[in-house]
Amino acid sequence: MSQCNSDVIDESNITFLLTLTDSDLLKCFATFLCDIIKGMGCFWGAERMFWKLPGVFSTQVGFSGGFTPNPTYKEVRTDRPQAHGEGPLFFQSHLEEKLLAASLQTGKTGHAEVVRVVFDPWKISYEDLLRFFWEKHDPTQELEVASAAILRPIKPGVTKERPLEAPGMRQGGDVGTQYRSAVYTIGAEQLETALRTKAAYQQELTRKQLGPISTEIQEASEFYYAEDYHQQYLHKNPDGYCGLKGTGVACPIGK
């Protein structure tokens, strides 16, 4: 069973879902739930994928993995440049390439768009959720632009230049550090499981001649809620944007 932490489950969410008011009952119920924080590109589509799973109690979208407290969507996001072809981004001019590099410097919080999934471990396991995570997005995607560079913030006031071809900064047409693949773990057991399943999935990807997994795996930091209009966005807007697409390779764990 995965590491559980009742302190990170908001009573307000449980009250909304169950229409309960007894705070003691809420706290008791919360102790049987666990949560996981994952980034897999734009959080709209990722949240919808998770809320459909049996055993998932609730989902919330937000930001994590950075250093700026209480970030807004505007602060975290970068522009979504359009690709002129499949695979690497193709530019019609050197100016367009420079504009992309400039746009990628606008995400100065260090945060990724993430989904927090609160689940019942008696109905769905942490491994099952990780298998779903690995299969439903592409953890190997790279942004392939050889000559430009970005400045990725690593802490307040300090940036580190990284080439645009550095992995983990895109999902489909969504480009930028906030769209990186990430698993933020709670406790040693979740961390070990995430690393183990990554290794198992990498073996399958290698057999299919796909590239290395670039997913960021680390202990969870603070989770910050995105604005209300982002929560369950594709429930409110069923025809809204979703750019997620997996590799087509099955993950051999959690079954």
Side-chain angles (χ1 to χ4, degrees):
M1 188 182 302
S2 63
Q3 181 76 20
C4 300
N5 187 345
S6 61
D7 293 337
V8 297
I9 301 174
D10 293 342
E11 293 180 11
S12 58
N13 293 326
I14 301 173
T15 303
F16 173 76
L17 289 169
L18 303 181
T19 64
L20 296 174
T21 58
D22 189 315
S23 61
D24 291 333
L25 177 59
L26 292 176
K27 291 176 181 178
C28 180
F29 189 72
T31 62
F32 293 97
L33 299 177
C34 305
D35 72 336
I36 183 172
I37 299 173
K38 299 178 179 180
M40 46 196 300
C42 176
F43 50 26
W44 294 344
E47 183 185 27
R48 179 171 63 181
M49 288 183 178
F50 282 110
W51 81 49
K52 292 181 178 181
L53 294 178
V56 169
F57 183 75
S58 69
T59 57
Q60 307 92 42
V61 298
F63 314 108
S64 193
F67 51 80
T68 303
N70 302 308
T72 66
Y73 179 72
K74 184 176 181 180
E75 290 170 341
V76 171
R77 76 176 296 273
T78 61
D79 294 336
R80 292 176 180 158
Q82 296 298 311
H84 302 298
E86 296 298 325
L89 293 183
F90 296 96
F91 299 97
Q92 294 177 336
S93 68
H94 182 61
L95 175 61
E96 185 180 11
E97 183 175 343
K98 290 178 67 177
L99 288 174
L100 171 59
S103 75
L104 287 173
Q105 295 181 37
T106 62
K108 297 184 182 299
T109 69
H111 287 293
E113 290 191 14
V114 297
V115 181
R116 187 173 75 171
V117 181
V118 181
F119 65 99
D120 182 345
W122 300 104
K123 295 181 179 179
I124 187 169
S125 71
Y126 181 64
E127 276 198 353
D128 284 330
L129 290 169
L130 283 170
R131 176 171 54 85
F132 186 80
F133 166 80
W134 294 122
E135 292 179 349
K136 296 302 181 181
H137 80 304
D138 185 352
T140 73
Q141 280 200 56
E142 299 182 7
L143 176 59
E144 301 176 29
V145 180
S147 61
I150 69 162
L151 295 176
R152 179 179 174 185
I154 56 177
K155 62 182 180 179
V158 178
T159 57
K160 181 179 180 180
E161 187 173 279
R162 295 180 60 182
L164 283 181
E165 67 269 28
M169 298 196 305
R170 74 176 296 177
Q171 282 295 312
D174 296 325
V175 177
T177 59
Q178 82 277 27
Y179 297 121
R180 64 188 181 270
S181 174
V183 178
Y184 298 129
T185 61
I186 301 171
E189 187 176 351
Q190 280 196 4
L191 178 60
E192 185 279 328
T193 304
L195 293 172
R196 174 169 49 81
T197 59
K198 174 188 174 182
Y201 194 45
Q202 183 64 72
Q203 290 182 353
E204 298 302 311
L205 293 172
T206 301
R207 289 191 183 99
K208 299 293 184 179
Q209 299 184 325
L210 296 176
I213 292 173
S214 61
T215 301
E216 179 179 61
I217 300 177
Q218 64 184 36
E219 188 73 15
S221 56
E222 190 74 23
F223 171 87
Y224 297 100
Y225 283 91
E227 293 85 343
D228 286 347
Y229 70 90
H230 290 295
Q231 306 298 330
Q232 292 80 51
Y233 180 86
L234 292 181
H235 174 71
K236 305 166 190 172
N237 304 276
D239 296 324
Y241 172 81
C242 176
L244 286 180
K245 184 178 180 181
T247 62
V249 178
C251 184
I253 53 95
K255 297 180 179 179

